[in-house]
């Protein structure tokens, strides 16, 4: 659903090589539906890489604005990802992250100071930039949201980004992650969400990206 308008555009404006493979502006484009969450995403991406080696790939989806200043419907290039709530829990409920636990070091590849970073966002990419955080569930309880604010967090909540960043970095694949905001991360109330606007703006950006042949950096 999140990239259906893009698929419809490709169906109408490209040469279709297979149900999910297209030829457009001298580019071969594969559409890969990764699934929801880090388990589905990790498996789908690694399964794809067994037989393919893309020159560049883009993760595109919707997400929640943990930073309340991010506007619903806006599209953001995600410059970094962290994996939230991964580690061990103290008696007081605090989550000790894997770096504090010394499972690995803050700058062990592919981390940079505990963060997974994207270095392929060019200055002329026509969208705003935000940081991401990957969670096992979308937060909807005020107490847990407030607790997360007191720990390391990103501006955009999602459930797949860290897997995509980690695999891309480990495999030395140039990549870009795009998220459009469908909702604020607050007490769960779907009446405040605007998934349709987020999907429209995300796909308008992706289609424009293809038409313009924008540079996404080295």
């Amino acid at each position: 659903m999140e990239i259906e308008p893009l698929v419809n555009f490709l169906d109408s404006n490209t040469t279709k090589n297979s149900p999910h493979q297209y030829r457009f502006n001298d580019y071969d484009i594969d559409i890969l539906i990764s699934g929801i969450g880090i388990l589905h995403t990790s498996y789908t991406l690694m399964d794809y890489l067994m037989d393919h080696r893309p020159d560049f790939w883009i993760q595109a989806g919707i997400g929640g604005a943990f930073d309340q200043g991010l506007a619903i419907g806006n599209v953001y290039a995600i410059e970094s990802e962290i994996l939230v709530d991964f580690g061990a829990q103290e008696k007081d409920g605090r989550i000790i992250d894997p770096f504090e636990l010394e499972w690995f070091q803050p700058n062990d590849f592919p981390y940079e100071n505990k963060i997974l970073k994207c270095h392929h966002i060019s200055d002329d990419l026509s969208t705003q930039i935000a940081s991401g955080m990957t969670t096992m569930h979308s937060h909807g309880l005020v107490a847990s949201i407030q607790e997360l604010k007191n720990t390391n967090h990103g501006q955009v909540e999602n459930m797949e980004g860290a897997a995509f960043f980690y695999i891309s970095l480990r495999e030395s694949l140039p990549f870009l992650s795009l998220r459009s905001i469908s909702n604020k991360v607050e007490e769960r109330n779907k009446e405040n969400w605007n998934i349709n606007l987020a999907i429209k703006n995300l796909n308008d950006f992706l289609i424009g990206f293809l038409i313009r042949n924008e540079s996404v950096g080295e």
Side-chain angles (χ1 to χ4, degrees):
M1 180 181 69
E2 294 179 33
I3 59 165
E4 184 177 4
L6 172 64
V7 172
N8 291 339
F9 171 83
L10 293 173
D11 282 339
S12 300
N13 295 277
T14 69
T15 301
K16 193 171 184 178
N17 299 326
S18 76
H20 297 290
Q21 294 182 325
Y22 303 87
R23 182 76 177 173
F24 181 75
N25 280 2
D26 295 326
Y27 291 103
D28 291 316
I29 301 171
D30 290 355
I31 298 295
L32 185 65
I33 308 299
S34 67
I36 298 172
I38 58 175
L39 293 180
H40 287 92
T41 297
S42 297
Y43 176 82
T44 303
L45 298 184
M46 293 307 298
D47 182 62
Y48 177 80
L49 291 178
M50 289 179 66
D51 300 310
H52 303 81
R53 185 73 183 180
D55 296 310
F56 189 87
W57 58 355
I58 299 172
Q59 180 183 55
I62 61 177
F66 194 76
D67 179 346
Q68 298 296 302
L70 304 186
I72 290 178
N74 278 12
V75 179
Y76 295 89
I78 304 301
E79 63 180 353
S80 62
E81 282 283 355
I82 59 172
L83 185 59
V84 172
D85 286 345
F86 174 55
Q89 190 170 41
E90 278 281 28
K91 291 182 290 186
D92 62 2
R94 182 177 71 91
I95 301 297
I96 312 170
D97 72 33
F99 304 100
E100 186 178 347
L101 290 165
E102 298 186 345
W103 291 350
F104 32 87
Q105 298 304 307
N107 289 300
D108 282 349
F109 181 78
Y111 294 95
E112 298 179 50
N113 193 25
K114 304 182 180 181
I115 297 171
L116 300 166
K117 294 184 178 180
C118 177
H119 297 286
H120 303 282
I121 302 174
S122 69
D123 292 336
D124 58 354
L125 186 68
S126 56
T127 191
Q128 299 176 68
I129 296 173
S131 60
M133 63 177 185
T134 303
T135 62
M136 293 301 289
H137 64 272
S138 57
H139 288 77
L141 178 67
V142 172
S144 63
I145 293 169
Q146 186 57 51
E147 183 179 347
L148 186 54
K149 288 180 179 179
N150 297 325
T151 64
N152 291 333
H153 58 269
Q155 294 173 284
V156 179
E157 180 185 70
N158 68 87
M159 293 191 287
E160 302 83 23
F164 176 72
F165 272 61
Y166 187 85
I167 290 170
S168 299
L169 292 165
R170 289 298 300 262
E171 294 293 319
S172 299
L173 288 172
F175 68 99
L176 185 67
S177 178
L178 299 170
R179 292 280 176 180
S180 57
I181 303 301
S182 59
N183 62 283
K184 303 282 186 168
V185 178
E186 58 188 4
E187 185 174 36
R188 186 173 176 85
N189 180 4
K190 294 185 72 172
E191 291 184 1
N192 291 337
W193 298 12
N194 197 333
I195 292 177
N196 290 336
L197 177 64
I199 290 175
K200 178 185 181 302
N201 290 350
L202 174 67
N203 285 270
D204 285 350
F205 183 88
L206 290 168
I207 293 168
F209 182 91
L210 292 177
I211 293 172
R212 292 190 304 271
N213 288 320
E214 288 194 63
S215 169
V216 291
E218 297 296 329

